Amino acid sequence: MDDAYRELDGHDAYELLGVPDDADERAIRRAFALRVRAVHPDASPEPAAHTEAGRRLHLLKTARDVLLRDREAYDRQRAVRPAAGAAAPKPSGTFRPSKGGGVLLVVLVGYLFALAACVSAVTAYAWKQEPSIPRGLVGTWEGRLEDAGAATGGRVRFTFKAGEGHGTAVYLDAGCTSTLTPRDGDDSYVEFREVVNAPARGCRGDTVGITIGAESLGVMFGPEDPRARATLGRAVP
């Protein structure tokens, strides 16, 4: 790969993020957010593990930036990489498809194109629907904001109600509240857009990624460039 991508350290950007070659921008951003939570240095107390996690995080950020900002050029270089220095294989014989086989191939290709169009239409329609609050999120959750692996003392409470299309966040020590509107997700992970209702010192809107567990929530504030995180448990009535 060209020196322009040397920060990938020989890795494939798509493989690092675990996305297919045709992944759109939303899929790339979501895959990045999911992987960052697993390798973030703050979750690794041991020095060696912390260093490795930092290296891995740098690779993920580089892969994300390449695919979002320079994808066309990267794809061109990626396409020719396997052929570099390799001789073209010699054909073992001459292939002459039968007429019947040619017709069958045309029909099969047409069918595959039609199927792909249907899948694309269904997917596009699904993305247009407003994500709802998963059942596993319903309830009140409390915990403390964490930064650099240590509790900062900032208490936070999230509340989600069944049948509502948004949740609320209350930062108890800072004295501000915000509305959490789902942007994307499923039953195990939801990404929210946070809008602060009553601005206060130290409070600002952010993108909030929430991983849903049976009895706890893993929260990452700014999952694309994490600045804080929290583990919230169900509030005692």
Side-chain angles (χ1 to χ4, degrees):
M1 187 63 69
D2 189 270
D3 286 345
Y5 308 111
R6 62 182 179 274
E7 289 193 41
L8 288 172
D9 195 24
H11 294 278
D12 182 270
Y14 292 94
E15 292 179 1
L16 281 171
L17 296 176
V19 296
D21 293 4
D22 59 351
D24 60 13
E25 180 177 336
R26 175 178 288 189
I28 291 170
R29 291 185 182 278
R30 184 165 182 241
F32 174 80
L34 288 170
R35 279 158 178 73
V36 162
R37 291 199 309 279
V39 304
H40 198 275
D42 291 350
S44 306
E46 296 296 327
H50 191 281
T51 299
E52 174 58 23
R55 186 188 73 84
R56 190 70 179 175
L57 180 61
H58 177 73
L59 286 173
L60 290 173
K61 286 184 176 180
T62 301
R64 176 201 62 186
D65 292 344
V66 165
L67 295 185
L68 293 181
R69 303 173 186 173
D70 197 29
R71 187 172 183 175
E72 187 175 343
Y74 176 76
D75 284 348
R76 285 198 301 269
Q77 295 210 23
R78 183 172 178 260
V80 302
R81 179 176 53 175
K90 296 181 179 180
S92 58
T94 303
F95 174 66
R96 296 185 177 87
S98 65
K99 292 182 179 179
V103 172
L104 180 61
L105 179 61
V106 170
V107 172
L108 179 60
V109 170
Y111 171 78
L112 290 176
F113 271 109
L115 180 61
C118 290
V119 172
S120 178
V122 171
T123 303
Y125 175 78
W127 278 120
K128 290 180 181 178
Q129 308 310 303
E130 287 294 328
S132 59
I133 301 297
R135 183 181 302 176
L137 262 182
V138 173
T140 300
W141 309 80
E142 293 185 358
R144 291 182 179 275
L145 294 176
E146 300 172 0
D147 192 11
T152 63
R155 295 176 300 152
V156 60
R157 177 190 297 141
F158 284 6
T159 301
F160 300 96
K161 296 181 180 179
E164 293 190 357
H166 64 273
T168 58
V170 180
Y171 297 89
L172 301 171
D173 295 329
C176 60
T177 64
S178 64
T179 299
L180 300 169
T181 304
R183 301 195 316 181
D184 181 23
D186 50 36
D187 290 339
S188 61
Y189 173 79
V190 184
E191 190 169 282
F192 290 87
R193 180 171 63 89
E194 181 185 33
V195 177
V196 176
N197 301 324
R201 184 179 180 85
C203 294
R204 63 182 178 89
D206 210 336
T207 298
V208 180
I210 299 181
T211 300
I212 305 169
E215 294 298 329
S216 65
L217 302 181
V219 183
M220 187 73 75
F221 296 84
E224 291 187 12
D225 191 13
R227 64 177 180 84
R229 59 191 179 90
T231 300
L232 309 184
R234 289 192 180 275
V236 178

